[in-house]
Amino acid sequence: MKAQKPILPLFKQFIKETETGRRLKKNGERIKPQSIENYKYVLNNLIQFSTDTKFELRICDASKLTKRELLTEKNYWKKFYQKFTEYLYKKGCHDNYVGANIKTIRVFFNYLKNDKDFHTGDFQRLFYIRKEEIEIFVLSPEQLRFLIRNKEFENSLTPTQKWIKDVFVFGCTTGLRFSDIFLLTNKNFEKTENDYYLKIKSQKTKTFTSIKLPSYAIEIYQKYQPKDSKSTVFGKISLFNFNKSLKKIGEIANFTDAIEVSREKQGKTQKITRKTDKTKNRFCDKMSSHMMRRTAITTLLILGMPEHLVRKISGHSSASNSFNRYVHHAQSYMDKEIEKVHGKLGSY
């Protein structure tokens, strides 16, 4: 076997060159900070895996291998994939997380090949990336209306909870991602006669959208409107604290109906139970920043807005699988409402 190089120093170099901008996207843009954080999570997993299992992480130049050595190397990477994914599953990880780790490792292999002219043998093609369809949890129009209009509920919240509730409602109306909503300044709001429009460029998709705001969203903006054009409208909060507070707000709102939650491991569905209560999962426990965007999209579809217009607002392409999931969810809601009406008709 030819000279081998340890993987971990190369992976650290991969992260460093991404952070400094030496490694860029194909379009010349810098890699997003969140992606770099994900690379670091994968590095930590590789370090723990190698330490706990005593599995040597190394690589060698495949162009200098004999046919027999090439087969040995191929079997090594097959074994790595099996052992590493097995290690993550035993830690309690699910298909999406394991798949995300493998996807990053494949990106690392491509970096070695394309940026460092290192002949990897393309063994990353052996790494299968599993994906799971996680159930979409969104507010119903009735729940969203409750958060907007119920004054008794509003008065039961602390000042901080009121602020987070307002941000959440604003997000459920505009469909903005958490990262985008906390970057808003007065420049993003444009008044035309008696109407307000929200104009924004998504940090993720780089697409521009212009959204006409309803009266309650305008009231929220005016409540937190800063005096200058540089300060952000909604201030700042960590994602962890935002999500933690949302769950408490949902509990106060009595969004505590039992729900069934399932995830997949190696393609097999498993029911997930709460650590504090083995009998049920509550809707409020699934409330998070992701629910804002999902609620906005499904609400617009439920209320009858044409799909192509909703796509324009949300920034989804016509071939987006994730958008089709929202369409199916909205249709499921409408089917249930129709069944209620049919049931009432049948009881007369």
Side-chain angles (χ1 to χ4, degrees):
M1 181 66 70
K2 301 296 181 182
Q4 300 174 349
K5 292 186 177 182
I7 284 285
L8 297 179
L10 290 172
F11 204 97
K12 291 176 182 177
Q13 183 181 358
F14 159 68
I15 294 175
K16 184 177 181 179
E17 291 192 6
T18 306
E19 286 180 318
T20 58
R22 288 189 63 186
R23 174 178 170 266
L24 302 170
K25 294 182 180 179
K26 290 182 179 179
N27 62 5
E29 293 181 357
R30 294 190 68 147
I31 310 295
K32 292 184 176 65
Q34 184 57 55
S35 296
I36 297 173
E37 286 302 308
N38 292 339
Y39 296 165
K40 292 177 181 179
Y41 289 135
V42 175
L43 173 61
N44 289 334
N45 285 335
L46 288 172
I47 293 172
Q48 291 177 6
F49 163 70
S50 180
T51 302
D52 294 346
T53 65
K54 310 301 180 186
F55 192 97
E56 181 187 7
L57 294 174
R58 88 298 181 281
I59 194 169
C60 59
D61 190 331
S63 66
K64 299 178 181 179
L65 301 180
T66 65
K67 187 174 182 180
R68 184 173 181 178
E69 288 172 336
L70 199 61
L71 179 60
T72 300
E73 190 70 1
K74 182 179 181 180
N75 289 332
Y76 166 83
W77 286 110
K78 281 184 177 180
K79 184 178 180 181
F80 160 78
Y81 175 81
Q82 178 189 354
K83 295 290 186 182
F84 182 62
T85 55
E86 185 179 82
Y87 175 79
L88 293 179
Y89 282 125
K90 285 183 178 179
K91 288 181 66 177
C93 302
H94 297 96
D95 282 350
N96 275 355
Y97 183 82
V98 175
N101 274 256
I102 296 301
K103 186 177 180 180
T104 295
I105 292 172
R106 291 180 65 169
V107 170
F108 166 67
F109 263 72
N110 289 328
Y111 153 81
L112 293 178
K113 177 182 176 181
N114 300 324
D115 292 38
K116 297 301 178 184
D117 296 322
F118 190 95
H119 294 271
T120 63
D122 286 338
F123 295 118
Q124 73 273 21
R125 294 180 181 178
L126 301 170
F127 303 161
Y128 180 75
I129 298 176
R130 288 190 179 274
K131 294 182 180 179
E132 55 179 323
E133 290 291 338
I134 300 176
E135 187 176 355
I136 297 174
F137 292 102
V138 302
L139 294 182
S140 67
E142 293 79 15
Q143 288 174 315
L144 181 55
R145 190 182 304 116
F146 177 87
L147 294 183
I148 296 169
R149 300 298 179 197
N150 193 291
K151 294 302 178 184
E152 183 180 351
F153 159 72
E154 173 92 12
N155 294 332
S156 69
L157 302 177
T158 66
T160 299
Q161 288 172 338
K162 289 179 182 178
W163 166 57
I164 292 175
K165 188 270 294 183
D166 285 341
V167 174
F168 183 66
V169 167
F170 193 88
C172 288
T173 302
T174 60
L176 295 181
R177 294 178 175 86
F178 179 87
S179 58
D180 289 327
I181 203 168
F182 282 98
L183 292 176
L184 294 177
T185 67
N186 285 330
K187 293 179 180 180
N188 296 110
F189 296 82
E190 184 176 288
K191 185 177 181 181
T192 305
E193 295 181 355
N194 294 324
D195 296 324
Y196 273 86
Y197 287 84
L198 176 65
K199 296 189 174 183
I200 186 170
K201 180 181 180 181
S202 171
Q203 294 295 303
K204 183 173 183 178
T205 64
K206 305 301 180 183
T207 56
F208 288 91
T209 56
S210 181
I211 305 169
K212 184 178 179 180
L213 297 176
S215 59
Y216 66 85
I218 296 172
E219 291 173 7
I220 291 174
Y221 163 60
Q222 291 175 336
K223 184 190 297 188
Y224 301 100
Q225 181 179 4
K227 295 181 179 180
D228 59 83
S229 60
K230 293 184 178 180
S231 300
T232 57
V233 174
F234 294 112
K236 190 180 295 185
I237 187 174
S238 71
L239 180 60
F240 175 82
N241 287 331
F242 184 82
N243 288 337
K244 182 179 179 181
S245 295
L246 270 186
K247 291 170 174 53
K248 182 61 180 178
I249 291 169
E251 185 177 44
I252 296 171
N254 205 30
F255 296 167
T256 54
D257 288 348
I259 56 173
E260 187 172 294
V261 180
S262 62
R263 295 292 304 272
E264 292 184 3
K265 282 188 177 182
Q266 296 176 292
K268 296 180 180 179
T269 302
Q270 298 180 342
K271 289 185 178 180
I272 306 297
T273 56
R274 297 176 66 213
K275 293 180 180 179
T276 55
D277 186 343
K278 297 295 184 182
T279 61
K280 67 178 183 179
N281 294 280
R282 302 179 304 170
F283 180 85
C284 61
D285 297 318
K286 300 303 294 182
M287 292 179 67
S288 71
S289 63
H290 293 300
M291 190 177 279
M292 296 189 295
R293 180 168 169 78
R294 294 166 180 169
T295 295
I297 294 171
T298 54
T299 300
L300 291 174
L301 291 169
I302 288 170
L303 296 179
M305 179 177 283
E307 288 181 24
H308 72 279
L309 294 179
V310 180
R311 281 196 184 95
K312 186 176 181 181
I313 292 173
S314 65
H316 284 97
S317 68
S318 57
S320 171
N321 290 328
S322 61
F323 184 83
N324 291 332
R325 293 179 66 207
Y326 297 130
V327 174
H328 294 152
H329 186 92
Q331 185 61 53
S332 175
Y333 175 86
M334 289 186 285
D335 289 345
K336 290 177 181 177
E337 293 303 302
I338 290 173
E339 287 175 3
K340 290 179 183 178
V341 174
H342 289 170
K344 290 178 181 178
L345 290 174
S347 63
Y348 283 123

